[in-house]
Amino acid sequence: YRTQDSTGAYTVLVIRYPSTNRAERACSSFTHGYLSAGGADGMTRRGTTWAAARVTGKLVIVVLDAPSKADVTRILEGVEEALNR
């Protein structure tokens, strides 16, 4: 899902897996392959934007092209909150 808010444009992917284990493995694979330069918090800077991936139960939430590290955190938390409603 590509969207834009007051901070800029970014992409959010939410992928559901059949189990938590599969979600964790997929997130790990994506993190190591695509976000390989990421820090301990799982976030990485890609050019002028930020990206991260997080597991929530059977879901993997990916944020790409966020304007800042703070925006990645805000977006991830917002998506998790919306999914838990």
mmCIF file of all heavy atoms in Angstrom, residues 28-76:
data_model
loop_
_atom_site.group_PDB
_atom_site.id
_atom_site.type_symbol
_atom_site.label_atom_id
_atom_site.label_comp_id
_atom_site.label_asym_id
_atom_site.label_seq_id
_atom_site.Cartn_x
_atom_site.Cartn_y
_atom_site.Cartn_z
ATOM 1 N N SER A 28 12.724 -12.529 9.096
ATOM 2 C CA SER A 28 14.169 -12.665 9.240
ATOM 3 C C SER A 28 14.853 -12.710 7.873
ATOM 4 O O SER A 28 15.874 -12.046 7.649
ATOM 5 C CB SER A 28 14.495 -13.924 10.043
ATOM 6 O OG SER A 28 15.883 -14.098 10.134
ATOM 7 N N SER A 29 14.282 -13.479 6.964
ATOM 8 C CA SER A 29 14.845 -13.584 5.623
ATOM 9 C C SER A 29 14.826 -12.229 4.914
ATOM 10 O O SER A 29 15.823 -11.817 4.309
ATOM 11 C CB SER A 29 14.065 -14.614 4.806
ATOM 12 O OG SER A 29 14.537 -14.671 3.491
ATOM 13 N N PHE A 30 13.712 -11.533 5.004
ATOM 14 C CA PHE A 30 13.594 -10.215 4.384
ATOM 15 C C PHE A 30 14.575 -9.237 5.019
ATOM 16 O O PHE A 30 15.265 -8.489 4.318
ATOM 17 C CB PHE A 30 12.164 -9.690 4.520
ATOM 18 C CG PHE A 30 11.998 -8.297 3.980
ATOM 19 C CD1 PHE A 30 11.881 -8.080 2.614
ATOM 20 C CD2 PHE A 30 11.980 -7.205 4.829
ATOM 21 C CE1 PHE A 30 11.749 -6.797 2.100
ATOM 22 C CE2 PHE A 30 11.839 -5.918 4.334
ATOM 23 C CZ PHE A 30 11.719 -5.721 2.967
ATOM 24 N N THR A 31 14.643 -9.248 6.340
ATOM 25 C CA THR A 31 15.525 -8.328 7.054
ATOM 26 C C THR A 31 16.981 -8.553 6.655
ATOM 27 O O THR A 31 17.705 -7.598 6.388
ATOM 28 C CB THR A 31 15.350 -8.482 8.574
ATOM 29 O OG1 THR A 31 13.989 -8.187 8.904
ATOM 30 C CG2 THR A 31 16.250 -7.552 9.339
ATOM 31 N N HIS A 32 17.386 -9.807 6.595
ATOM 32 C CA HIS A 32 18.777 -10.100 6.244
ATOM 33 C C HIS A 32 19.067 -9.833 4.761
ATOM 34 O O HIS A 32 20.160 -9.436 4.402
ATOM 35 C CB HIS A 32 19.135 -11.536 6.608
ATOM 36 C CG HIS A 32 19.273 -11.736 8.068
ATOM 37 N ND1 HIS A 32 18.253 -12.228 8.850
ATOM 38 C CD2 HIS A 32 20.298 -11.470 8.900
ATOM 39 C CE1 HIS A 32 18.653 -12.268 10.105
ATOM 40 N NE2 HIS A 32 19.886 -11.814 10.168
ATOM 41 N N GLY A 33 18.091 -10.049 3.901
ATOM 42 C CA GLY A 33 18.304 -9.857 2.478
ATOM 43 C C GLY A 33 18.152 -8.430 2.008
ATOM 44 O O GLY A 33 18.954 -7.929 1.217
ATOM 45 N N TYR A 34 17.144 -7.747 2.506
ATOM 46 C CA TYR A 34 16.829 -6.412 2.005
ATOM 47 C C TYR A 34 17.307 -5.307 2.942
ATOM 48 O O TYR A 34 17.670 -4.230 2.508
ATOM 49 C CB TYR A 34 15.329 -6.285 1.774
ATOM 50 C CG TYR A 34 14.929 -4.998 1.085
ATOM 51 C CD1 TYR A 34 15.135 -4.832 -0.282
ATOM 52 C CD2 TYR A 34 14.357 -3.954 1.788
ATOM 53 C CE1 TYR A 34 14.779 -3.658 -0.925
ATOM 54 C CE2 TYR A 34 13.996 -2.769 1.161
ATOM 55 C CZ TYR A 34 14.211 -2.634 -0.197
ATOM 56 O OH TYR A 34 13.858 -1.465 -0.827
ATOM 57 N N LEU A 35 17.262 -5.594 4.231
ATOM 58 C CA LEU A 35 17.638 -4.587 5.223
ATOM 59 C C LEU A 35 18.959 -4.950 5.885
ATOM 60 O O LEU A 35 19.156 -4.700 7.072
ATOM 61 C CB LEU A 35 16.537 -4.455 6.290
ATOM 62 C CG LEU A 35 15.133 -4.164 5.785
ATOM 63 C CD1 LEU A 35 14.152 -4.127 6.948
ATOM 64 C CD2 LEU A 35 15.089 -2.868 5.018
ATOM 65 N N SER A 36 19.857 -5.549 5.140
ATOM 66 C CA SER A 36 21.088 -6.107 5.702
ATOM 67 C C SER A 36 21.950 -5.100 6.454
ATOM 68 O O SER A 36 22.722 -5.477 7.324
ATOM 69 C CB SER A 36 21.915 -6.780 4.608
ATOM 70 O OG SER A 36 22.232 -5.859 3.591
ATOM 71 N N ALA A 37 21.823 -3.845 6.142
ATOM 72 C CA ALA A 37 22.618 -2.830 6.830
ATOM 73 C C ALA A 37 21.908 -2.295 8.067
ATOM 74 O O ALA A 37 22.346 -1.329 8.665
ATOM 75 C CB ALA A 37 22.935 -1.677 5.883
ATOM 76 N N GLY A 38 20.813 -2.939 8.448
ATOM 77 C CA GLY A 38 20.005 -2.445 9.560
ATOM 78 C C GLY A 38 20.701 -2.507 10.901
ATOM 79 O O GLY A 38 21.609 -3.301 11.116
ATOM 80 N N GLY A 39 20.257 -1.651 11.792
ATOM 81 C CA GLY A 39 20.797 -1.628 13.144
ATOM 82 C C GLY A 39 20.098 -2.645 14.026
ATOM 83 O O GLY A 39 19.280 -3.440 13.578
ATOM 84 N N ALA A 40 20.420 -2.617 15.295
ATOM 85 C CA ALA A 40 19.844 -3.543 16.254
ATOM 86 C C ALA A 40 18.330 -3.393 16.356
ATOM 87 O O ALA A 40 17.629 -4.341 16.712
ATOM 88 C CB ALA A 40 20.478 -3.333 17.628
ATOM 89 N N ASP A 41 17.808 -2.215 16.016
ATOM 90 C CA ASP A 41 16.369 -1.979 16.088
ATOM 91 C C ASP A 41 15.643 -2.458 14.829
ATOM 92 O O ASP A 41 14.435 -2.312 14.697
ATOM 93 C CB ASP A 41 16.073 -0.500 16.329
ATOM 94 C CG ASP A 41 16.666 0.417 15.265
ATOM 95 O OD1 ASP A 41 17.253 -0.094 14.283
ATOM 96 O OD2 ASP A 41 16.558 1.640 15.424
ATOM 97 N N GLY A 42 16.398 -3.023 13.869
ATOM 98 C CA GLY A 42 15.782 -3.544 12.649
ATOM 99 C C GLY A 42 15.511 -2.496 11.592
ATOM 100 O O GLY A 42 14.945 -2.794 10.550
ATOM 101 N N MET A 43 15.916 -1.277 11.836
ATOM 102 C CA MET A 43 15.688 -0.211 10.860
ATOM 103 C C MET A 43 16.969 0.060 10.082
ATOM 104 O O MET A 43 18.069 -0.099 10.612
ATOM 105 C CB MET A 43 15.248 1.068 11.566
ATOM 106 C CG MET A 43 13.914 0.942 12.232
ATOM 107 S SD MET A 43 13.405 2.536 12.869
ATOM 108 C CE MET A 43 12.254 2.005 14.120
ATOM 109 N N THR A 44 16.789 0.441 8.844
ATOM 110 C CA THR A 44 17.944 0.766 8.022
ATOM 111 C C THR A 44 17.652 1.962 7.141
ATOM 112 O O THR A 44 16.510 2.181 6.747
ATOM 113 C CB THR A 44 18.370 -0.445 7.156
ATOM 114 O OG1 THR A 44 19.618 -0.160 6.535
ATOM 115 C CG2 THR A 44 17.351 -0.765 6.095
ATOM 116 N N ARG A 45 18.678 2.697 6.874
ATOM 117 C CA ARG A 45 18.561 3.829 5.960
ATOM 118 C C ARG A 45 18.907 3.338 4.567
ATOM 119 O O ARG A 45 19.916 2.674 4.366
ATOM 120 C CB ARG A 45 19.506 4.940 6.376
ATOM 121 C CG ARG A 45 19.281 6.187 5.578
ATOM 122 C CD ARG A 45 20.046 7.341 6.149
ATOM 123 N NE ARG A 45 19.611 8.523 5.418
ATOM 124 C CZ ARG A 45 19.573 9.716 5.928
ATOM 125 N NH1 ARG A 45 19.947 9.910 7.163
ATOM 126 N NH2 ARG A 45 19.162 10.736 5.202
ATOM 127 N N ARG A 46 18.047 3.637 3.610
ATOM 128 C CA ARG A 46 18.268 3.238 2.220
ATOM 129 C C ARG A 46 18.261 4.511 1.383
ATOM 130 O O ARG A 46 17.195 5.010 1.041
ATOM 131 C CB ARG A 46 17.199 2.257 1.765
ATOM 132 C CG ARG A 46 17.191 0.985 2.627
ATOM 133 C CD ARG A 46 16.311 -0.104 2.110
ATOM 134 N NE ARG A 46 16.529 -0.446 0.736
ATOM 135 C CZ ARG A 46 17.501 -1.245 0.270
ATOM 136 N NH1 ARG A 46 18.359 -1.766 1.109
ATOM 137 N NH2 ARG A 46 17.606 -1.514 -1.011
ATOM 138 N N GLY A 47 19.449 5.041 1.143
ATOM 139 C CA GLY A 47 19.540 6.329 0.445
ATOM 140 C C GLY A 47 19.064 7.440 1.354
ATOM 141 O O GLY A 47 19.614 7.647 2.426
ATOM 142 N N THR A 48 18.005 8.110 0.948
ATOM 143 C CA THR A 48 17.469 9.221 1.751
ATOM 144 C C THR A 48 16.233 8.813 2.557
ATOM 145 O O THR A 48 15.623 9.659 3.207
ATOM 146 C CB THR A 48 17.095 10.409 0.838
ATOM 147 O OG1 THR A 48 16.091 9.979 -0.086
ATOM 148 C CG2 THR A 48 18.303 10.930 0.091
ATOM 149 N N THR A 49 15.860 7.537 2.512
ATOM 150 C CA THR A 49 14.666 7.082 3.226
ATOM 151 C C THR A 49 15.017 5.947 4.188
ATOM 152 O O THR A 49 16.127 5.427 4.188
ATOM 153 C CB THR A 49 13.582 6.595 2.247
ATOM 154 O OG1 THR A 49 14.080 5.478 1.502
ATOM 155 C CG2 THR A 49 13.160 7.712 1.296
ATOM 156 N N TRP A 50 14.021 5.560 4.983
ATOM 157 C CA TRP A 50 14.195 4.521 6.000
ATOM 158 C C TRP A 50 13.251 3.357 5.731
ATOM 159 O O TRP A 50 12.186 3.534 5.143
ATOM 160 C CB TRP A 50 13.913 5.101 7.383
ATOM 161 C CG TRP A 50 14.996 6.012 7.848
ATOM 162 C CD1 TRP A 50 15.148 7.330 7.550
ATOM 163 C CD2 TRP A 50 16.099 5.657 8.666
ATOM 164 N NE1 TRP A 50 16.278 7.823 8.133
ATOM 165 C CE2 TRP A 50 16.886 6.810 8.836
ATOM 166 C CE3 TRP A 50 16.500 4.483 9.296
ATOM 167 C CZ2 TRP A 50 18.049 6.828 9.595
ATOM 168 C CZ3 TRP A 50 17.656 4.491 10.053
ATOM 169 C CH2 TRP A 50 18.412 5.659 10.199
ATOM 170 N N ALA A 51 13.645 2.176 6.221
ATOM 171 C CA ALA A 51 12.832 0.974 6.048
ATOM 172 C C ALA A 51 12.977 0.085 7.285
ATOM 173 O O ALA A 51 13.982 0.147 7.998
ATOM 174 C CB ALA A 51 13.265 0.205 4.808
ATOM 175 N N ALA A 52 11.955 -0.755 7.523
ATOM 176 C CA ALA A 52 11.996 -1.706 8.638
ATOM 177 C C ALA A 52 10.933 -2.773 8.425
ATOM 178 O O ALA A 52 10.000 -2.593 7.635
ATOM 179 C CB ALA A 52 11.745 -0.997 9.969
ATOM 180 N N ALA A 53 11.095 -3.879 9.140
ATOM 181 C CA ALA A 53 10.103 -4.951 9.129
ATOM 182 C C ALA A 53 9.908 -5.426 10.558
ATOM 183 O O ALA A 53 10.850 -5.429 11.354
ATOM 184 C CB ALA A 53 10.565 -6.103 8.248
ATOM 185 N N ARG A 54 8.670 -5.839 10.864
ATOM 186 C CA ARG A 54 8.337 -6.271 12.221
ATOM 187 C C ARG A 54 7.308 -7.390 12.149
ATOM 188 O O ARG A 54 6.409 -7.361 11.315
ATOM 189 C CB ARG A 54 7.766 -5.090 12.997
ATOM 190 C CG ARG A 54 7.367 -5.403 14.423
ATOM 191 C CD ARG A 54 6.739 -4.218 15.111
ATOM 192 N NE ARG A 54 7.744 -3.195 15.376
ATOM 193 C CZ ARG A 54 7.473 -2.027 15.936
ATOM 194 N NH1 ARG A 54 6.239 -1.703 16.245
ATOM 195 N NH2 ARG A 54 8.428 -1.151 16.167
ATOM 196 N N VAL A 55 7.440 -8.349 13.064
ATOM 197 C CA VAL A 55 6.470 -9.446 13.172
ATOM 198 C C VAL A 55 5.480 -9.115 14.274
ATOM 199 O O VAL A 55 5.861 -8.694 15.367
ATOM 200 C CB VAL A 55 7.171 -10.786 13.502
ATOM 201 C CG1 VAL A 55 6.151 -11.891 13.726
ATOM 202 C CG2 VAL A 55 8.137 -11.168 12.409
ATOM 203 N N THR A 56 4.207 -9.318 13.972
ATOM 204 C CA THR A 56 3.138 -9.183 14.948
ATOM 205 C C THR A 56 2.243 -10.405 14.795
ATOM 206 O O THR A 56 1.429 -10.461 13.865
ATOM 207 C CB THR A 56 2.323 -7.892 14.712
ATOM 208 O OG1 THR A 56 3.198 -6.775 14.800
ATOM 209 C CG2 THR A 56 1.218 -7.740 15.728
ATOM 210 N N GLY A 57 2.444 -11.395 15.635
ATOM 211 C CA GLY A 57 1.682 -12.636 15.502
ATOM 212 C C GLY A 57 2.007 -13.318 14.187
ATOM 213 O O GLY A 57 3.165 -13.588 13.883
ATOM 214 N N LYS A 58 0.993 -13.563 13.377
ATOM 215 C CA LYS A 58 1.173 -14.209 12.077
ATOM 216 C C LYS A 58 1.411 -13.207 10.952
ATOM 217 O O LYS A 58 1.455 -13.569 9.792
ATOM 218 C CB LYS A 58 -0.068 -15.049 11.739
ATOM 219 C CG LYS A 58 -0.306 -16.213 12.668
ATOM 220 C CD LYS A 58 -1.549 -16.961 12.257
ATOM 221 C CE LYS A 58 -1.855 -18.088 13.216
ATOM 222 N NZ LYS A 58 -3.078 -18.805 12.808
ATOM 223 N N LEU A 59 1.561 -11.930 11.313
ATOM 224 C CA LEU A 59 1.727 -10.878 10.314
ATOM 225 C C LEU A 59 3.147 -10.346 10.281
ATOM 226 O O LEU A 59 3.807 -10.244 11.321
ATOM 227 C CB LEU A 59 0.794 -9.711 10.615
ATOM 228 C CG LEU A 59 -0.692 -10.003 10.669
ATOM 229 C CD1 LEU A 59 -1.448 -8.750 11.109
ATOM 230 C CD2 LEU A 59 -1.189 -10.491 9.328
ATOM 231 N N VAL A 60 3.594 -9.997 9.090
ATOM 232 C CA VAL A 60 4.830 -9.242 8.918
ATOM 233 C C VAL A 60 4.423 -7.882 8.375
ATOM 234 O O VAL A 60 3.702 -7.793 7.380
ATOM 235 C CB VAL A 60 5.802 -9.936 7.944
ATOM 236 C CG1 VAL A 60 7.025 -9.059 7.705
ATOM 237 C CG2 VAL A 60 6.220 -11.299 8.466
ATOM 238 N N ILE A 61 4.856 -6.841 9.057
ATOM 239 C CA ILE A 61 4.594 -5.475 8.627
ATOM 240 C C ILE A 61 5.909 -4.896 8.129
ATOM 241 O O ILE A 61 6.917 -4.920 8.837
ATOM 242 C CB ILE A 61 4.049 -4.612 9.784
ATOM 243 C CG1 ILE A 61 2.800 -5.243 10.385
ATOM 244 C CG2 ILE A 61 3.771 -3.186 9.302
ATOM 245 C CD1 ILE A 61 2.389 -4.622 11.708
ATOM 246 N N VAL A 62 5.901 -4.393 6.908
ATOM 247 C CA VAL A 62 7.095 -3.810 6.295
ATOM 248 C C VAL A 62 6.793 -2.355 5.952
ATOM 249 O O VAL A 62 5.742 -2.055 5.382
ATOM 250 C CB VAL A 62 7.489 -4.575 5.004
ATOM 251 C CG1 VAL A 62 8.707 -3.940 4.355
ATOM 252 C CG2 VAL A 62 7.726 -6.051 5.295
ATOM 253 N N VAL A 63 7.711 -1.487 6.310
ATOM 254 C CA VAL A 63 7.613 -0.071 5.940
ATOM 255 C C VAL A 63 8.817 0.241 5.064
ATOM 256 O O VAL A 63 9.955 -0.053 5.437
ATOM 257 C CB VAL A 63 7.605 0.851 7.179
ATOM 258 C CG1 VAL A 63 7.608 2.312 6.765
ATOM 259 C CG2 VAL A 63 6.413 0.550 8.062
ATOM 260 N N LEU A 64 8.553 0.823 3.899
ATOM 261 C CA LEU A 64 9.606 1.203 2.960
ATOM 262 C C LEU A 64 9.472 2.682 2.617
ATOM 263 O O LEU A 64 8.361 3.217 2.582
ATOM 264 C CB LEU A 64 9.492 0.387 1.669
ATOM 265 C CG LEU A 64 9.535 -1.129 1.813
ATOM 266 C CD1 LEU A 64 9.162 -1.791 0.498
ATOM 267 C CD2 LEU A 64 10.896 -1.581 2.283
ATOM 268 N N ASP A 65 10.575 3.308 2.359
ATOM 269 C CA ASP A 65 10.613 4.693 1.869
ATOM 270 C C ASP A 65 10.089 5.729 2.853
ATOM 271 O O ASP A 65 9.629 6.802 2.440
ATOM 272 C CB ASP A 65 9.844 4.829 0.544
ATOM 273 C CG ASP A 65 10.335 3.866 -0.516
ATOM 274 O OD1 ASP A 65 11.557 3.645 -0.574
ATOM 275 O OD2 ASP A 65 9.508 3.350 -1.279
ATOM 276 N N ALA A 66 10.150 5.437 4.143
ATOM 277 C CA ALA A 66 9.702 6.419 5.136
ATOM 278 C C ALA A 66 10.712 7.567 5.200
ATOM 279 O O ALA A 66 11.919 7.349 5.069
ATOM 280 C CB ALA A 66 9.554 5.775 6.510
ATOM 281 N N PRO A 67 10.233 8.786 5.399
ATOM 282 C CA PRO A 67 11.118 9.953 5.402
ATOM 283 C C PRO A 67 12.153 9.962 6.536
ATOM 284 O O PRO A 67 13.230 10.511 6.380
ATOM 285 C CB PRO A 67 10.167 11.135 5.540
ATOM 286 C CG PRO A 67 8.840 10.635 5.100
ATOM 287 C CD PRO A 67 8.825 9.178 5.451
ATOM 288 N N SER A 68 11.824 9.352 7.686
ATOM 289 C CA SER A 68 12.751 9.376 8.814
ATOM 290 C C SER A 68 12.584 8.119 9.663
ATOM 291 O O SER A 68 11.596 7.386 9.543
ATOM 292 C CB SER A 68 12.497 10.607 9.693
ATOM 293 O OG SER A 68 11.284 10.450 10.404
ATOM 294 N N LYS A 69 13.541 7.893 10.539
ATOM 295 C CA LYS A 69 13.491 6.767 11.463
ATOM 296 C C LYS A 69 12.278 6.900 12.395
ATOM 297 O O LYS A 69 11.589 5.926 12.667
ATOM 298 C CB LYS A 69 14.796 6.725 12.259
ATOM 299 C CG LYS A 69 15.026 5.479 13.036
ATOM 300 C CD LYS A 69 16.433 5.494 13.619
ATOM 301 C CE LYS A 69 16.702 4.209 14.351
ATOM 302 N NZ LYS A 69 18.066 4.155 14.883
ATOM 303 N N ALA A 70 12.014 8.111 12.855
ATOM 304 C CA ALA A 70 10.854 8.351 13.721
ATOM 305 C C ALA A 70 9.555 8.023 12.979
ATOM 306 O O ALA A 70 8.614 7.490 13.572
ATOM 307 C CB ALA A 70 10.843 9.795 14.201
ATOM 308 N N ASP A 71 9.507 8.321 11.686
ATOM 309 C CA ASP A 71 8.312 7.995 10.899
ATOM 310 C C ASP A 71 8.119 6.485 10.791
ATOM 311 O O ASP A 71 6.990 5.997 10.846
ATOM 312 C CB ASP A 71 8.396 8.607 9.501
ATOM 313 C CG ASP A 71 8.196 10.105 9.515
ATOM 314 O OD1 ASP A 71 7.345 10.590 10.285
ATOM 315 O OD2 ASP A 71 8.901 10.794 8.761
ATOM 316 N N VAL A 72 9.208 5.734 10.648
ATOM 317 C CA VAL A 72 9.089 4.270 10.604
ATOM 318 C C VAL A 72 8.426 3.771 11.878
ATOM 319 O O VAL A 72 7.476 2.985 11.836
ATOM 320 C CB VAL A 72 10.468 3.589 10.413
ATOM 321 C CG1 VAL A 72 10.348 2.083 10.588
ATOM 322 C CG2 VAL A 72 11.045 3.920 9.062
ATOM 323 N N THR A 73 8.900 4.234 13.024
ATOM 324 C CA THR A 73 8.331 3.821 14.308
ATOM 325 C C THR A 73 6.858 4.195 14.389
ATOM 326 O O THR A 73 6.013 3.379 14.765
ATOM 327 C CB THR A 73 9.114 4.461 15.470
ATOM 328 O OG1 THR A 73 10.475 4.033 15.390
ATOM 329 C CG2 THR A 73 8.523 4.075 16.813
ATOM 330 N N ARG A 74 6.536 5.416 14.028
ATOM 331 C CA ARG A 74 5.142 5.897 14.074
ATOM 332 C C ARG A 74 4.244 5.068 13.162
ATOM 333 O O ARG A 74 3.148 4.660 13.539
ATOM 334 C CB ARG A 74 5.095 7.370 13.672
ATOM 335 C CG ARG A 74 3.700 7.979 13.634
ATOM 336 C CD ARG A 74 3.740 9.411 13.119
ATOM 337 N NE ARG A 74 4.353 9.560 11.810
ATOM 338 C CZ ARG A 74 3.741 9.291 10.661
ATOM 339 N NH1 ARG A 74 2.501 8.822 10.645
ATOM 340 N NH2 ARG A 74 4.372 9.468 9.502
ATOM 341 N N ILE A 75 4.725 4.783 11.957
ATOM 342 C CA ILE A 75 3.927 4.019 10.996
ATOM 343 C C ILE A 75 3.724 2.591 11.480
ATOM 344 O O ILE A 75 2.601 2.070 11.463
ATOM 345 C CB ILE A 75 4.601 4.047 9.607
ATOM 346 C CG1 ILE A 75 4.603 5.471 9.043
ATOM 347 C CG2 ILE A 75 3.911 3.084 8.657
ATOM 348 C CD1 ILE A 75 5.602 5.686 7.919
ATOM 349 N N LEU A 76 4.800 1.933 11.935
ATOM 350 C CA LEU A 76 4.671 0.563 12.444
ATOM 351 C C LEU A 76 3.680 0.498 13.602
ATOM 352 O O LEU A 76 2.807 -0.374 13.644
ATOM 353 C CB LEU A 76 6.032 0.022 12.892
ATOM 354 C CG LEU A 76 7.009 -0.370 11.800
ATOM 355 C CD1 LEU A 76 8.390 -0.637 12.396
ATOM 356 C CD2 LEU A 76 6.511 -1.588 11.032
#
